[in-house]
Amino acid sequence: MKDVYILAVETSCDETSLAIVKNGKEVIGLEVYTQMDTHALYGGVVPEIASRMHTEAITLVLESLLNKTKFDLKNIDAIAVTYAPGLMGGLLVGIEFAKTLSFIYKKPLIKVNHMVGHIYANNIEDNLEFPLLAMVVSGGHTELVEMTGDYKFKLLGSTLDDAIGEAYDKVARVMNVPYPGGPNVEKLAKDGNVCYELGKPVNDDSFNFSYSGLKSSVINLVHNMNQRNEEININDLAASFQYYAVDEITRKIDLALSKNEYKMVVLAGGVSANMYLREEVKKVTDKYNVRLCVPRMLYCTDNAAMIGAAAYPLFIQGKNIADFSLNAKSHISTVE
Ligand code: KG4
Ligand code: ZN
């Protein structure tokens, strides 16, 4: 079969990223321009600034990608773009850019769900084997998804309130930990002990998650201790929060593995960069003798290579082909 080259565009949050991916697996080139330093000045991503920065950067990112790869865009087979979920302004910059390229080069435009992209990041250097269990953990999503084939999803459960990454970020704020909250809380936790009693999430037999109780108990603890002028051990608090946050994930994966047979478990989304989470999940998959797959760090955080990887089966199946009326959506589930 003829090789398929896809140019992928990702602008859903604070990374302007473009990639050329061959046959959904071989990353010919990947550029990631991160705006993190700018948003760090404000303690979090400022949507208006993010979309303006995407607009300023995107053509330069394409130029850099083409210079490095020496790829002639005439040889591209399709343009893939993240259309949801994410920040509307950022998504629209990527979508209009992709539409323009699709119009100029007369190539199909493929719309890709960002969260599905995170799952397919696991197919770049490894192979997805079905049926699999995907644990999607990011700033906006905590979803346990079963996949029986390419784009054959079943949502087992999701968060009833906050996402795990969101909890990391909010807890970081109340602890005065600088942005980005998640990675910094992880760093602090490394030198801490689990000694603070925090609100346990609902311990039921469903596949649903909940993080607002845990988040609130950290916020209340910090406020109460501040009022009493008591010193908080920030490392211990980070370690305690992380313990409860990850325990929720491992318990639900354990429950799913006890009920069904899977060929593999994959971690997907920004929070899968967390080493403690990876280690704890590995203990569970080892217990059931199931293979665990986690993308390399570069493919864990937002990047366009995963969008190219996720677009390939769509291109082959002729699915998700969009026209120039394509619009962005801020909130959708992995399985939509
Ligand atoms: O997937 P992602 O880059 O963007 C979304 O699609 O949301 O995930 C970003 C989220 C943020 O909440 C960030 O704090 C969290 O992932 N995150 C982490 C770590 N690295 C990123 N959370 C915990 N530990 C980390 N090492
Ligand atoms: Zn993401």
Side-chain angles (χ1 to χ4, degrees):
M1 209 172 89
K2 188 186 161 293
D3 288 330
V4 175
Y5 293 89
I6 295 180
L7 175 76
V9 181
E10 159 61 46
T11 56
S12 67
C13 192
D14 58 347
E15 263 94 29
T16 315
S17 181
L18 296 176
I20 296 167
V21 182
K22 180 179 165 186
N23 299 332
K25 292 201 71 77
E26 192 183 328
V27 181
I28 305 292
L30 168 63
E31 292 290 300
V32 183
Y33 171 73
T34 179
Q35 311 171 353
M36 196 184 278
D37 290 347
T38 303
H39 297 296
L41 302 173
Y42 304 93
V45 179
V46 184
E48 281 296 323
I49 295 177
S51 40
R52 200 180 327 134
M53 287 183 79
H54 284 304
T55 310
E56 286 164 2
I58 200 158
T59 47
L60 299 172
V61 174
L62 178 64
E63 199 175 7
S64 170
L65 178 73
L66 297 180
N67 281 340
K68 283 186 194 163
T69 57
K70 308 279 176 245
F71 195 89
D72 186 343
L73 272 188
K74 277 191 219 121
N75 298 324
I76 214 80
D77 295 290
I79 319 286
V81 62
T82 302
Y83 79 103
L87 302 171
M88 285 303 277
L91 288 167
L92 285 170
V93 174
I95 289 174
E96 294 312 311
F97 186 76
K99 280 182 193 169
T100 309
L101 291 175
S102 159
F103 178 74
I104 294 170
Y105 292 96
K106 303 196 169 31
K107 301 295 176 185
L109 179 67
I110 303 174
K111 59 172 193 174
V112 177
N113 178 328
H114 178 81
M115 305 320 298
V116 174
H118 275 301
I119 293 179
Y120 275 87
N122 288 286
N123 203 36
I124 297 175
E125 291 177 312
D126 203 320
N127 295 311
L128 294 185
E129 284 182 277
F130 307 110
L132 65 76
L133 187 68
M135 184 69 239
V136 182
V137 280
S138 77
H141 293 70
T142 311
E143 294 183 335
L144 194 56
V145 177
E146 185 179 278
M147 276 179 86
T148 49
D150 276 317
Y151 281 85
K152 293 206 171 87
F153 303 109
K154 183 179 166 198
L155 183 66
L156 298 183
S158 60
T159 181
L160 301 171
D161 38 60
D162 295 354
I164 181 169
E166 186 183 357
Y168 264 94
D169 296 336
K170 286 186 177 158
V171 161
R173 254 175 193 258
V174 77
M175 284 162 52
N176 277 330
V177 173
Y179 171 86
N184 285 332
V185 169
E186 181 186 12
K187 268 187 215 141
L188 287 169
K190 278 198 188 103
D191 298 317
N193 296 309
V194 180
C195 56
Y196 288 105
E197 275 277 334
L198 300 171
K200 267 209 161 179
V202 263
N203 200 349
D204 62 12
D205 234 16
S206 77
F207 289 116
N208 289 326
F209 301 81
S210 166
Y211 281 100
S212 79
L214 175 59
K215 175 194 71 184
S216 301
S217 68
V218 173
I219 293 172
N220 291 340
L221 186 135
V222 170
H223 286 169
N224 289 339
M225 289 185 75
N226 280 344
Q227 265 172 4
R228 291 200 295 264
N229 255 339
E230 287 172 5
E231 199 165 318
I232 300 167
N233 184 319
I234 213 83
N235 296 92
D236 288 351
L237 186 55
S240 305
F241 162 77
Q242 178 159 269
Y243 168 79
Y244 289 109
V246 170
D247 184 58
E248 175 96 333
I249 301 291
T250 52
R251 271 191 301 111
K252 301 297 160 139
I253 293 178
D254 194 320
L255 185 63
L257 293 181
S258 73
K259 290 195 169 173
N260 267 310
E261 295 234 335
Y262 296 101
K263 291 255 172 63
M264 68 194 301
V265 172
V266 306
L267 293 181
V271 186
S272 64
N274 186 292
M275 295 310 289
Y276 174 74
L277 176 96
R278 291 174 179 213
E279 285 159 15
E280 291 302 304
V281 172
K282 181 84 173 71
K283 287 181 194 163
V284 181
T285 52
D286 281 353
K287 177 174 147 193
Y288 289 92
N289 228 341
V290 177
R291 194 158 75 81
L292 173 67
C293 182
V294 192
R296 169 151 53 112
M297 217 47 104
L298 173 66
Y299 300 134
C300 262
T301 46
D302 288 350
N303 70 88
M306 67 185 198
I307 303 303
Y312 178 72
L314 293 172
F315 179 86
I316 297 296
Q317 296 173 11
K319 275 189 188 163
N320 278 27
I321 308 297
D323 61 23
F324 296 142
S325 68
L326 177 64
N327 208 344
K329 269 192 185 172
S330 55
H331 293 94
I332 61 168
S333 154
T334 310
V335 300
E336 277 176 57

